[in-house]
Amino acid sequence: MSRQLSHELEVNVPASEAWELYGKLQLAKLLVEEGSIVEKIEVIEGDGGIGTILKKTYAPGSHGFSVQREKFTKYDNEKRMKELEVLEGGYLDLGLSLFRVRFEIIEKDNDSCIIKSTIEYDIKEEAVANTSYVTTDLVAKIAEIAKNFLVKNKATRNAE
């Protein structure tokens, strides 16, 4: 059984600036520095484009699992979109057969954009009764961390 959830957050920075953070590995570095979600990210393969494989170690208590490996499967610089799939660990250990996240940076106007995060997942039949743990909480928190970083950087640049 396939399901989908999405989250949107408006950010008062140009889409190009938000994509600069989301587009490659800068967001991963920010999440490690911030520390509330991710403790460590290892780049197993790649540079942030299609085929990049990451191993994420989550901060204790930040989520229902500790480690997952994920791969960037789609990347479109023009559309400001990238997609990743969990290869092992994470939600797959909790009864899902597929867990995919798509990040899109949607231009609203010259000075604002929307960070849209879409989660697609397939549930193993035996796990159907227990899917309440799949929420947008994690991607919403990631978007909020990104927003705070982007707005702070914009304020710093404007003050110079």
Side-chain angles (χ1 to χ4, degrees):
M1 182 184 317
S2 296
R3 296 199 179 149
Q4 183 173 305
L5 302 168
S6 65
H7 174 268
E8 293 185 4
L9 181 68
E10 186 173 339
V11 183
N12 290 322
V13 299
S16 60
E17 288 181 29
W19 181 243
E20 200 172 299
L21 178 63
Y22 268 81
K24 291 285 182 176
L25 295 174
Q26 285 81 354
L27 181 61
K29 292 174 187 169
L30 174 63
L31 293 175
V32 170
E33 286 173 20
E34 195 274 342
S36 69
I37 298 174
V38 178
E39 196 171 85
K40 183 167 98 175
I41 297 179
E42 296 172 64
V43 179
I44 306 300
E45 184 179 309
D47 63 358
I50 292 176
T52 297
I53 297 175
L54 302 177
K55 179 182 178 187
K56 288 184 181 175
T57 303
Y58 288 91
S62 69
H63 227 56
F65 42 83
S66 58
V67 177
Q68 79 179 20
R69 288 170 64 103
E70 56 193 41
K71 182 177 186 175
F72 296 153
T73 55
K74 290 185 182 175
Y75 182 90
D76 189 322
N77 204 38
E78 284 182 34
K79 292 181 180 178
R80 297 185 182 107
M81 181 277 296
K82 79 175 181 183
E83 198 169 89
L84 64 86
E85 285 186 25
V86 174
L87 300 175
E88 64 182 60
Y91 285 106
L92 301 185
D93 289 347
L94 300 176
L96 302 184
S97 57
L98 169 74
F99 190 82
R100 179 184 300 134
V101 180
R102 181 172 48 257
F103 295 109
E104 298 170 89
I105 306 299
I106 302 164
E107 186 170 9
K108 196 166 179 210
D109 57 41
N110 287 341
D111 291 315
S112 67
C113 63
I114 295 169
I115 298 172
K116 182 176 181 181
S117 308
T118 304
I119 297 169
E120 297 173 0
Y121 60 100
D122 291 342
I123 308 160
K124 295 177 185 173
E125 273 188 42
E126 62 272 15
V128 172
N130 185 24
T131 58
S132 60
Y133 54 83
V134 182
T135 69
T136 60
D137 291 354
L138 183 60
V139 292
K141 189 168 184 180
I142 290 169
E144 196 62 48
I145 290 167
K147 176 182 178 178
N148 292 341
F149 173 81
L150 290 164
V151 169
K152 181 179 162 189
N153 276 5
K154 181 179 179 182
T156 302
R157 276 195 322 279
N158 289 343
E160 293 175 350

Short mmCIF file of all heavy atoms in Angstrom, two decimals, residues 53-99:
data_model
loop_
_atom_site.label_atom_id
_atom_site.label_comp_id
_atom_site.label_asym_id
_atom_site.label_seq_id
_atom_site.Cartn_x
_atom_site.Cartn_y
_atom_site.Cartn_z
N ILE A 53 25.41 8.52 -1.92
CA ILE A 53 24.92 7.68 -0.83
C ILE A 53 25.44 8.26 0.48
O ILE A 53 26.63 8.53 0.63
CB ILE A 53 25.38 6.21 -0.98
CG1 ILE A 53 24.79 5.62 -2.27
CG2 ILE A 53 24.98 5.38 0.24
CD1 ILE A 53 25.28 4.22 -2.59
N LEU A 54 24.51 8.47 1.42
CA LEU A 54 24.85 8.99 2.74
C LEU A 54 24.48 7.97 3.81
O LEU A 54 23.50 7.25 3.67
CB LEU A 54 24.05 10.27 3.03
CG LEU A 54 24.19 11.45 2.07
CD1 LEU A 54 23.27 12.58 2.52
CD2 LEU A 54 25.62 11.92 1.99
N LYS A 55 25.25 7.96 4.86
CA LYS A 55 24.90 7.20 6.06
C LYS A 55 24.66 8.22 7.16
O LYS A 55 25.57 8.96 7.54
CB LYS A 55 26.02 6.25 6.46
CG LYS A 55 25.71 5.45 7.72
CD LYS A 55 26.87 4.56 8.10
CE LYS A 55 26.57 3.81 9.39
NZ LYS A 55 27.76 3.06 9.85
N LYS A 56 23.41 8.29 7.65
CA LYS A 56 23.05 9.25 8.68
C LYS A 56 22.93 8.54 10.02
O LYS A 56 22.27 7.51 10.13
CB LYS A 56 21.69 9.90 8.37
CG LYS A 56 21.72 10.87 7.23
CD LYS A 56 20.36 11.51 7.06
CE LYS A 56 20.35 12.48 5.91
NZ LYS A 56 18.99 13.01 5.68
N THR A 57 23.55 9.14 11.02
CA THR A 57 23.39 8.68 12.40
C THR A 57 22.59 9.77 13.10
O THR A 57 23.02 10.92 13.20
CB THR A 57 24.76 8.50 13.09
OG1 THR A 57 25.53 7.57 12.32
CG2 THR A 57 24.59 7.98 14.50
N TYR A 58 21.39 9.40 13.55
CA TYR A 58 20.49 10.36 14.17
C TYR A 58 20.86 10.60 15.63
O TYR A 58 21.37 9.71 16.31
CB TYR A 58 19.04 9.89 14.05
CG TYR A 58 18.54 10.02 12.63
CD1 TYR A 58 18.66 8.97 11.73
CD2 TYR A 58 17.98 11.20 12.18
CE1 TYR A 58 18.24 9.09 10.42
CE2 TYR A 58 17.56 11.34 10.87
CZ TYR A 58 17.68 10.28 10.00
OH TYR A 58 17.27 10.41 8.70
N ALA A 59 20.58 11.79 16.10
CA ALA A 59 20.83 12.14 17.50
C ALA A 59 19.92 11.28 18.38
O ALA A 59 18.77 11.02 18.01
CB ALA A 59 20.55 13.63 17.72
N PRO A 60 20.43 10.83 19.52
CA PRO A 60 19.60 10.01 20.43
C PRO A 60 18.29 10.73 20.77
O PRO A 60 18.29 11.91 21.09
CB PRO A 60 20.49 9.85 21.67
CG PRO A 60 21.88 10.04 21.17
CD PRO A 60 21.78 11.05 20.05
N GLY A 61 17.19 10.00 20.64
CA GLY A 61 15.88 10.54 20.97
C GLY A 61 15.27 11.44 19.92
O GLY A 61 14.15 11.92 20.08
N SER A 62 15.97 11.68 18.82
CA SER A 62 15.44 12.58 17.79
C SER A 62 14.43 11.87 16.89
O SER A 62 13.62 12.51 16.24
CB SER A 62 16.56 13.15 16.93
OG SER A 62 17.14 12.14 16.12
N HIS A 63 14.52 10.54 16.85
CA HIS A 63 13.65 9.77 15.96
C HIS A 63 13.53 8.35 16.47
O HIS A 63 14.23 7.96 17.39
CB HIS A 63 14.22 9.81 14.53
CG HIS A 63 13.18 10.12 13.52
ND1 HIS A 63 12.40 11.25 13.57
CD2 HIS A 63 12.78 9.45 12.43
CE1 HIS A 63 11.57 11.24 12.55
NE2 HIS A 63 11.78 10.17 11.83
N GLY A 64 12.73 7.55 15.84
CA GLY A 64 12.50 6.18 16.28
C GLY A 64 13.55 5.19 15.84
O GLY A 64 13.38 3.99 15.99
N PHE A 65 14.65 5.66 15.27
CA PHE A 65 15.72 4.78 14.82
C PHE A 65 17.03 5.55 14.90
O PHE A 65 17.03 6.76 15.10
CB PHE A 65 15.48 4.28 13.39
CG PHE A 65 14.97 5.34 12.45
CD1 PHE A 65 15.84 6.22 11.84
CD2 PHE A 65 13.61 5.45 12.18
CE1 PHE A 65 15.37 7.20 10.98
CE2 PHE A 65 13.14 6.42 11.32
CZ PHE A 65 14.03 7.30 10.72
N SER A 66 18.15 4.83 14.76
CA SER A 66 19.42 5.51 14.95
C SER A 66 20.23 5.73 13.67
O SER A 66 20.91 6.73 13.55
CB SER A 66 20.27 4.75 15.97
OG SER A 66 20.48 3.42 15.53
N VAL A 67 20.16 4.79 12.71
CA VAL A 67 21.00 4.90 11.51
C VAL A 67 20.18 4.56 10.27
O VAL A 67 19.32 3.68 10.30
CB VAL A 67 22.21 3.93 11.60
CG1 VAL A 67 23.05 3.98 10.34
CG2 VAL A 67 23.07 4.26 12.80
N GLN A 68 20.48 5.27 9.18
CA GLN A 68 19.92 4.89 7.88
C GLN A 68 20.88 5.28 6.78
O GLN A 68 21.63 6.24 6.90
CB GLN A 68 18.53 5.47 7.65
CG GLN A 68 18.46 6.91 7.23
CD GLN A 68 17.03 7.37 7.00
OE1 GLN A 68 16.08 6.79 7.47
NE2 GLN A 68 16.88 8.46 6.28
N ARG A 69 20.85 4.50 5.72
CA ARG A 69 21.61 4.81 4.50
C ARG A 69 20.61 5.24 3.45
O ARG A 69 19.56 4.62 3.29
CB ARG A 69 22.38 3.58 4.02
CG ARG A 69 23.57 3.24 4.92
CD ARG A 69 24.16 1.89 4.55
NE ARG A 69 24.72 1.85 3.23
CZ ARG A 69 26.02 1.91 2.95
NH1 ARG A 69 26.88 2.00 3.92
NH2 ARG A 69 26.45 1.84 1.71
N GLU A 70 20.94 6.32 2.74
CA GLU A 70 20.03 6.83 1.72
C GLU A 70 20.82 7.23 0.49
O GLU A 70 22.01 7.51 0.55
CB GLU A 70 19.23 8.01 2.28
CG GLU A 70 20.06 9.14 2.82
CD GLU A 70 19.25 10.14 3.64
OE1 GLU A 70 18.39 9.71 4.42
OE2 GLU A 70 19.50 11.34 3.48
N LYS A 71 20.09 7.24 -0.63
CA LYS A 71 20.71 7.53 -1.92
C LYS A 71 19.90 8.60 -2.64
O LYS A 71 18.67 8.53 -2.70
CB LYS A 71 20.74 6.25 -2.77
CG LYS A 71 21.40 6.40 -4.13
CD LYS A 71 21.45 5.06 -4.84
CE LYS A 71 22.22 5.13 -6.13
NZ LYS A 71 22.35 3.81 -6.75
N PHE A 72 20.60 9.59 -3.21
CA PHE A 72 19.93 10.59 -4.03
C PHE A 72 19.62 9.95 -5.38
O PHE A 72 20.54 9.54 -6.11
CB PHE A 72 20.80 11.83 -4.22
CG PHE A 72 21.08 12.58 -2.93
CD1 PHE A 72 22.23 13.32 -2.79
CD2 PHE A 72 20.20 12.55 -1.86
CE1 PHE A 72 22.50 14.03 -1.62
CE2 PHE A 72 20.46 13.24 -0.69
CZ PHE A 72 21.61 13.98 -0.57
N THR A 73 18.34 9.87 -5.72
CA THR A 73 17.93 9.18 -6.93
C THR A 73 17.49 10.12 -8.05
O THR A 73 17.46 9.73 -9.21
CB THR A 73 16.78 8.20 -6.63
OG1 THR A 73 15.72 8.92 -6.00
CG2 THR A 73 17.26 7.07 -5.73
N LYS A 74 17.13 11.36 -7.71
CA LYS A 74 16.77 12.36 -8.71
C LYS A 74 17.35 13.69 -8.29
O LYS A 74 17.41 14.00 -7.10
CB LYS A 74 15.25 12.50 -8.84
CG LYS A 74 14.57 11.31 -9.46
CD LYS A 74 13.09 11.58 -9.66
CE LYS A 74 12.41 10.35 -10.24
NZ LYS A 74 10.96 10.53 -10.33
N TYR A 75 17.76 14.46 -9.30
CA TYR A 75 18.33 15.78 -9.04
C TYR A 75 18.06 16.65 -10.26
O TYR A 75 18.45 16.29 -11.36
CB TYR A 75 19.84 15.66 -8.79
CG TYR A 75 20.50 16.98 -8.46
CD1 TYR A 75 20.61 17.41 -7.15
CD2 TYR A 75 21.00 17.80 -9.48
CE1 TYR A 75 21.20 18.63 -6.85
CE2 TYR A 75 21.59 19.01 -9.18
CZ TYR A 75 21.69 19.42 -7.87
OH TYR A 75 22.26 20.62 -7.57
N ASP A 76 17.35 17.76 -10.06
CA ASP A 76 17.05 18.65 -11.17
C ASP A 76 17.33 20.08 -10.73
O ASP A 76 16.55 20.67 -9.97
CB ASP A 76 15.59 18.49 -11.60
CG ASP A 76 15.27 19.23 -12.89
OD1 ASP A 76 15.81 20.35 -13.09
OD2 ASP A 76 14.47 18.71 -13.69
N ASN A 77 18.44 20.61 -11.19
CA ASN A 77 18.87 21.94 -10.81
C ASN A 77 17.90 23.01 -11.31
O ASN A 77 17.64 23.99 -10.60
CB ASN A 77 20.28 22.20 -11.35
CG ASN A 77 21.02 23.24 -10.56
OD1 ASN A 77 20.91 23.31 -9.33
ND2 ASN A 77 21.78 24.07 -11.25
N GLU A 78 17.37 22.85 -12.51
CA GLU A 78 16.44 23.83 -13.08
C GLU A 78 15.14 23.88 -12.29
O GLU A 78 14.60 24.96 -12.02
CB GLU A 78 16.15 23.53 -14.54
CG GLU A 78 17.28 23.91 -15.47
CD GLU A 78 16.93 23.63 -16.92
OE1 GLU A 78 15.76 23.77 -17.30
OE2 GLU A 78 17.87 23.29 -17.68
N LYS A 79 14.61 22.73 -11.93
CA LYS A 79 13.35 22.66 -11.17
C LYS A 79 13.58 22.80 -9.67
O LYS A 79 12.63 22.82 -8.90
CB LYS A 79 12.63 21.34 -11.44
CG LYS A 79 12.12 21.21 -12.84
CD LYS A 79 11.39 19.90 -13.03
CE LYS A 79 10.88 19.75 -14.45
NZ LYS A 79 10.22 18.44 -14.65
N ARG A 80 14.85 22.86 -9.27
CA ARG A 80 15.23 22.93 -7.85
C ARG A 80 14.57 21.80 -7.07
O ARG A 80 13.86 22.02 -6.09
CB ARG A 80 14.86 24.29 -7.26
CG ARG A 80 15.58 25.46 -7.89
CD ARG A 80 15.24 26.76 -7.15
NE ARG A 80 15.87 27.89 -7.76
CZ ARG A 80 15.23 28.81 -8.48
NH1 ARG A 80 13.93 28.72 -8.65
NH2 ARG A 80 15.88 29.82 -8.99
N MET A 81 14.85 20.57 -7.49
CA MET A 81 14.24 19.40 -6.88
C MET A 81 15.28 18.30 -6.75
O MET A 81 16.09 18.09 -7.65
CB MET A 81 13.07 18.92 -7.75
CG MET A 81 12.32 17.72 -7.23
SD MET A 81 13.03 16.08 -7.59
CE MET A 81 12.92 16.01 -9.35
N LYS A 82 15.27 17.62 -5.60
CA LYS A 82 16.06 16.41 -5.46
C LYS A 82 15.27 15.41 -4.64
O LYS A 82 14.41 15.77 -3.85
CB LYS A 82 17.45 16.68 -4.88
CG LYS A 82 17.54 16.88 -3.42
CD LYS A 82 19.03 17.01 -3.05
CE LYS A 82 19.23 17.19 -1.58
NZ LYS A 82 20.64 17.38 -1.25
N GLU A 83 15.58 14.15 -4.90
CA GLU A 83 14.83 13.07 -4.27
C GLU A 83 15.81 12.05 -3.72
O GLU A 83 16.85 11.79 -4.32
CB GLU A 83 13.94 12.43 -5.35
CG GLU A 83 12.81 11.61 -4.84
CD GLU A 83 11.85 11.26 -5.97
OE1 GLU A 83 12.08 10.22 -6.61
OE2 GLU A 83 10.90 12.02 -6.20
N LEU A 84 15.47 11.50 -2.57
CA LEU A 84 16.31 10.46 -1.99
C LEU A 84 15.44 9.29 -1.57
O LEU A 84 14.26 9.44 -1.31
CB LEU A 84 17.10 11.00 -0.79
CG LEU A 84 16.34 11.47 0.45
CD1 LEU A 84 16.04 10.32 1.39
CD2 LEU A 84 17.16 12.51 1.17
N GLU A 85 16.07 8.11 -1.56
CA GLU A 85 15.40 6.90 -1.09
C GLU A 85 16.25 6.27 -0.01
O GLU A 85 17.48 6.23 -0.12
CB GLU A 85 15.20 5.89 -2.23
CG GLU A 85 14.12 6.27 -3.18
CD GLU A 85 13.83 5.20 -4.22
OE1 GLU A 85 14.11 4.01 -3.96
OE2 GLU A 85 13.34 5.58 -5.29
N VAL A 86 15.59 5.76 1.02
CA VAL A 86 16.30 5.04 2.07
C VAL A 86 16.65 3.66 1.53
O VAL A 86 15.79 2.95 1.00
CB VAL A 86 15.44 4.94 3.35
CG1 VAL A 86 16.13 4.06 4.39
CG2 VAL A 86 15.18 6.32 3.93
N LEU A 87 17.93 3.30 1.65
CA LEU A 87 18.41 2.00 1.17
C LEU A 87 18.35 0.94 2.26
O LEU A 87 18.04 -0.22 2.00
CB LEU A 87 19.86 2.11 0.67
CG LEU A 87 20.12 3.06 -0.48
CD1 LEU A 87 21.62 3.13 -0.76
CD2 LEU A 87 19.36 2.62 -1.72
N GLU A 88 18.69 1.34 3.49
CA GLU A 88 18.64 0.40 4.60
C GLU A 88 18.53 1.16 5.91
O GLU A 88 18.91 2.33 6.00
CB GLU A 88 19.86 -0.53 4.62
CG GLU A 88 21.17 0.15 4.86
CD GLU A 88 22.35 -0.81 4.81
OE1 GLU A 88 22.55 -1.44 3.76
OE2 GLU A 88 23.06 -0.91 5.82
N GLY A 89 17.99 0.48 6.91
CA GLY A 89 17.81 1.10 8.22
C GLY A 89 16.63 2.04 8.21
O GLY A 89 15.77 2.00 7.33
N GLY A 90 16.58 2.91 9.19
CA GLY A 90 15.53 3.91 9.27
C GLY A 90 14.14 3.32 9.19
O GLY A 90 13.82 2.33 9.85
N TYR A 91 13.30 3.92 8.38
CA TYR A 91 11.91 3.48 8.25
C TYR A 91 11.78 2.08 7.68
O TYR A 91 10.78 1.41 7.93
CB TYR A 91 11.12 4.46 7.38
CG TYR A 91 10.79 5.75 8.09
CD1 TYR A 91 11.46 6.93 7.79
CD2 TYR A 91 9.81 5.79 9.08
CE1 TYR A 91 11.16 8.11 8.45
CE2 TYR A 91 9.51 6.97 9.73
CZ TYR A 91 10.18 8.12 9.42
OH TYR A 91 9.88 9.28 10.07
N LEU A 92 12.76 1.63 6.91
CA LEU A 92 12.68 0.27 6.36
C LEU A 92 12.70 -0.76 7.49
O LEU A 92 12.06 -1.81 7.38
CB LEU A 92 13.82 0.02 5.37
CG LEU A 92 13.88 0.95 4.16
CD1 LEU A 92 14.98 0.50 3.21
CD2 LEU A 92 12.55 1.03 3.43
N ASP A 93 13.40 -0.44 8.59
CA ASP A 93 13.42 -1.34 9.75
C ASP A 93 12.11 -1.31 10.52
O ASP A 93 11.87 -2.16 11.38
CB ASP A 93 14.57 -0.97 10.70
CG ASP A 93 15.93 -1.33 10.13
OD1 ASP A 93 15.99 -2.07 9.12
OD2 ASP A 93 16.93 -0.85 10.70
N LEU A 94 11.27 -0.32 10.22
CA LEU A 94 10.00 -0.18 10.95
C LEU A 94 8.81 -0.70 10.15
O LEU A 94 7.66 -0.40 10.48
CB LEU A 94 9.78 1.29 11.33
CG LEU A 94 10.86 1.91 12.23
CD1 LEU A 94 10.57 3.39 12.46
CD2 LEU A 94 10.96 1.18 13.55
N GLY A 95 9.08 -1.43 9.05
CA GLY A 95 7.98 -2.07 8.33
C GLY A 95 7.62 -1.48 6.98
O GLY A 95 6.60 -1.84 6.40
N LEU A 96 8.45 -0.58 6.47
CA LEU A 96 8.17 -0.02 5.15
C LEU A 96 9.06 -0.70 4.12
O LEU A 96 10.18 -1.08 4.41
CB LEU A 96 8.43 1.49 5.13
CG LEU A 96 7.63 2.33 6.13
CD1 LEU A 96 7.93 3.81 5.91
CD2 LEU A 96 6.15 2.07 6.03
N SER A 97 8.53 -0.85 2.91
CA SER A 97 9.34 -1.43 1.83
C SER A 97 9.95 -0.34 0.95
O SER A 97 10.87 -0.59 0.19
CB SER A 97 8.49 -2.38 0.98
OG SER A 97 7.37 -1.70 0.46
N LEU A 98 9.44 0.91 1.07
CA LEU A 98 9.98 2.05 0.34
C LEU A 98 9.77 3.29 1.19
O LEU A 98 8.71 3.48 1.78
CB LEU A 98 9.25 2.24 -1.00
CG LEU A 98 9.54 3.56 -1.74
CD1 LEU A 98 10.93 3.53 -2.37
CD2 LEU A 98 8.50 3.83 -2.80
N PHE A 99 10.80 4.13 1.26
CA PHE A 99 10.68 5.43 1.90
C PHE A 99 11.47 6.42 1.06
O PHE A 99 12.67 6.31 0.91
CB PHE A 99 11.21 5.42 3.34
CG PHE A 99 10.87 6.68 4.08
CD1 PHE A 99 9.62 6.83 4.67
CD2 PHE A 99 11.79 7.72 4.19
CE1 PHE A 99 9.29 8.01 5.35
CE2 PHE A 99 11.47 8.89 4.86
CZ PHE A 99 10.22 9.03 5.45
#
